[in-house]
């Protein structure tokens, strides 16, 4: 590995230690449906985001609620003595990427077949602290 590549890898590793994130891989919901819910909580405080997700009628909101709780738990693991309300946690970044697609065939008229694509996605959520200027 070259020197420049090695330095960049070390820098990314150090940055990852100060980020608080959670990932959800292979969620069996289409990315388009998941992005509708993810856009609602981007940039919102964690308490308000949890309330939005809890009372949202969308099925994707249940998965994002669990992901938010996981990200909060990851934050608490690194900051045992800190309080969530005092830290001012908010959803800094959330992005939804497409994952593997299951391809199925459905019978169609006159002996033909139509392809059904069952989509899935990967979600990454990164939390930020409003009171800490290094993470914002």
């Amino acid at each position: 590995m070259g020197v420049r590549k090695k330095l960049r890898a070390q820098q990314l590793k150090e940055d990852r230690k100060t980020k608080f994130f959670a990932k959800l891989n292979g969620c069996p919901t289409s990315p388009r449906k998941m992005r509708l819910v993810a856009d609602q909580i981007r940039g919102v405080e964690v308490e308000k985001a949890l309330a939005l997700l809890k009372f949202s009628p969308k099925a994707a909101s249940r998965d994002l609620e669990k992901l938010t709780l996981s990200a909060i738990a990851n934050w608490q693991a690194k900051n045992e003595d800190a309080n969530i309300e005092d830290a001012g946690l908010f959803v800094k970044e959330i992005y939804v990427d497409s994952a593997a697609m299951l391809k199925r065939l459905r019978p169609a008229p006159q002996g033909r077949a139509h392809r059904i694509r069952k989509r899935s996605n990967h979600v990454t959520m990164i939390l930020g602290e409003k009171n800490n200027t290094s993470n914002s």
Side-chain angles (χ1 to χ4, degrees):
M1 182 184 299
V3 175
R4 190 173 57 216
K5 205 174 199 182
K6 189 173 185 178
L7 291 174
R8 179 70 176 146
Q10 288 174 348
Q11 181 187 6
L12 288 174
K13 195 180 284 188
E14 289 299 318
D15 289 344
R16 187 167 259 207
K17 288 180 184 176
T18 60
K19 284 187 179 180
F20 313 105
F21 67 97
K23 290 182 79 173
L24 174 64
N25 287 329
C27 182
T29 308
S30 73
R32 186 174 181 178
K33 291 177 184 177
M34 187 67 84
R35 280 188 197 108
L36 287 172
V37 182
D39 290 341
Q40 291 178 341
I41 63 169
R42 185 176 289 118
V44 177
E45 290 85 19
V46 168
E47 292 86 11
K48 188 175 178 185
L50 285 172
L52 283 170
L53 294 171
K54 186 169 182 73
F55 296 108
S56 174
K58 302 262 186 201
S61 65
R62 285 187 276 288
D63 293 326
L64 283 182
E65 184 181 5
K66 287 176 72 173
L67 185 69
T68 306
L69 291 172
S70 176
I72 292 170
N74 292 340
W75 177 82
Q76 284 177 334
K78 293 183 181 177
N79 303 314
E80 290 97 12
D81 56 340
N83 191 3
I84 295 174
E85 290 82 21
D86 296 337
L89 283 180
F90 70 102
V91 180
K92 187 175 182 181
E93 294 177 38
I94 182 168
Y95 45 90
V96 181
D97 301 321
S98 63
M101 222 183 304
L102 294 175
K103 294 176 182 168
R104 301 288 182 257
L105 293 177
R106 169 151 299 171
Q110 298 181 357
R112 295 193 201 100
H114 290 160
R115 179 167 283 175
I116 303 294
R117 293 177 301 205
K118 297 187 175 189
R119 300 173 188 269
S120 59
N121 63 54
H122 302 312
V123 185
T124 304
M125 178 183 291
I126 300 173
L127 298 182
E129 294 177 314
K130 288 191 176 172
N131 296 343
N132 191 352
T133 56
S134 66
N135 289 339
S136 295

